Amino acid sequence: MHILLSNDDGYFAPGLAALAEALTGLGEITVVAPEQNRSAASNSLTLDRPLFLRRADSGFCFVNGTPADCVHLAVAGMLDRLPDIVVSGINHGANMGDDTIYSGTVAAATEGYLLGLPSIAISLTSFAGRHYATAGQVARELVERFIRDPIRQPVLLNVNVPDIPYAELQGMEVTRLGRRHKAEPVVRMTSPRNETVFWIGAAGGAADAAPGTDFNAIERGCVSVTPLQIDLTHTAQLGAVRDWMK
């Protein structure tokens, strides 16, 4: 088994170290992660400058690019032997509902999926970051399950884990994505040079947290496992848009 690990918080992030430790013994582990925090980088690839691959004292490789860059470089040119699975995380904070559009953690897994590999994005649903070991154990169980019974088609799983002790988890649920309310307004500030600057506002709260959603599962102390797809076609609107275009 060859496991490729990446993330969006950077190669130095505690969640990545916890993930590598949790998966130790399941096979050969290769880590390729961003040089710095690239949260919310989404699926962007770097095309306007060269990318450099370096190795840290930890043995982890890092790239001066995005999470998607890291997985693309590893799979499309760096590795002599292709990985059997890509695991991205453990993210510091949730990636539920609308978050998945922006998430660099999900983007790293998505790049693996687009390259034909089963891929898992795993996130700890709290910025307190107290129980990375819980998310690590969940990641290990999922990879072990894949080793025992691999899914026979490319699959992209978005996994969110409550930030609680492993013994307090209430099980795992297969869920759909919920929805958030729109983000908070941008925060306007004045820099020391008297320039107006802006910070992106906080994400909105849950707007759709009905039973069956990722938000609902996490609220009840369950691990949320959501299979994702890349087809963004709004199938239900095809007819309406055809009529509008006539």
Side-chain angles (χ1 to χ4, degrees):
M1 193 70 175
H2 186 191
I3 306 167
L4 174 63
L5 304 187
S6 193
N7 73 349
D8 72 351
D9 290 328
Y11 74 95
F12 47 80
L16 183 62
L19 181 61
E21 180 179 358
L23 299 183
T24 296
L26 295 184
E28 178 186 357
I29 294 176
T30 301
V31 179
V32 185
E35 182 178 22
Q36 55 187 308
N37 190 320
R38 297 303 304 267
S39 295
S42 191
N43 293 86
S44 58
L45 291 173
T46 301
L47 303 178
D48 61 344
R49 57 185 171 83
L51 296 172
F52 298 94
L53 180 72
R54 297 185 173 93
R55 189 178 299 273
D57 292 340
S58 63
F60 294 178
C61 294
F62 60 90
V63 176
N64 60 327
T66 66
D69 286 332
C70 294
V71 174
H72 192 91
L73 260 64
V75 175
M78 167 194 166
L79 298 175
D80 295 328
R81 183 165 71 90
L82 289 179
D84 299 294
I85 192 169
V86 175
V87 186
S88 176
I90 300 167
N91 191 63
H92 183 209
N95 278 307
M96 301 188 294
D98 307 349
D99 302 342
T100 57
I101 296 294
Y102 307 102
S103 168
T105 302
V106 175
T110 299
E111 189 65 20
Y113 173 79
L114 290 173
L115 293 169
L117 301 172
S119 300
I120 300 172
I122 186 159
S123 303
L124 191 66
T125 60
S126 163
F127 286 113
R130 296 187 181 95
H131 298 285
Y132 282 112
T134 299
Q137 180 60 33
V138 169
R140 184 180 181 92
E141 290 175 6
L142 290 171
V143 173
E144 286 176 334
R145 182 183 294 268
F146 178 82
I147 293 171
R148 292 194 309 269
D149 184 21
I151 299 176
R152 300 299 180 184
Q153 57 186 350
V155 64
L156 173 59
L157 300 180
N158 184 44
V159 180
N160 284 274
V161 182
D163 191 6
I164 57 179
Y166 179 82
E168 296 179 14
L169 291 177
Q170 300 302 303
M172 292 191 191
E173 288 190 5
V174 178
T175 61
R176 65 175 176 86
L177 296 180
R179 292 294 305 275
R180 289 192 184 276
H181 291 289
K182 69 177 184 179
E184 298 294 322
V186 296
V187 179
R188 181 193 299 258
M189 302 179 69
T190 302
S191 75
R193 296 182 178 181
N194 204 34
E195 300 169 315
T196 300
V197 297
F198 298 90
W199 288 94
I200 297 294
D208 176 7
T213 64
D214 45 8
F215 287 106
N216 185 273
I218 294 300
E219 181 66 25
R220 293 184 292 102
C222 295
V223 175
S224 166
V225 180
T226 307
L228 303 180
Q229 65 178 358
I230 306 304
D231 184 1
L232 299 179
T233 305
H234 196 326
T235 306
Q237 286 189 352
L238 289 173
V241 175
R242 286 193 188 102
D243 292 341
W244 178 72
M245 292 289 290
K246 289 180 180 176

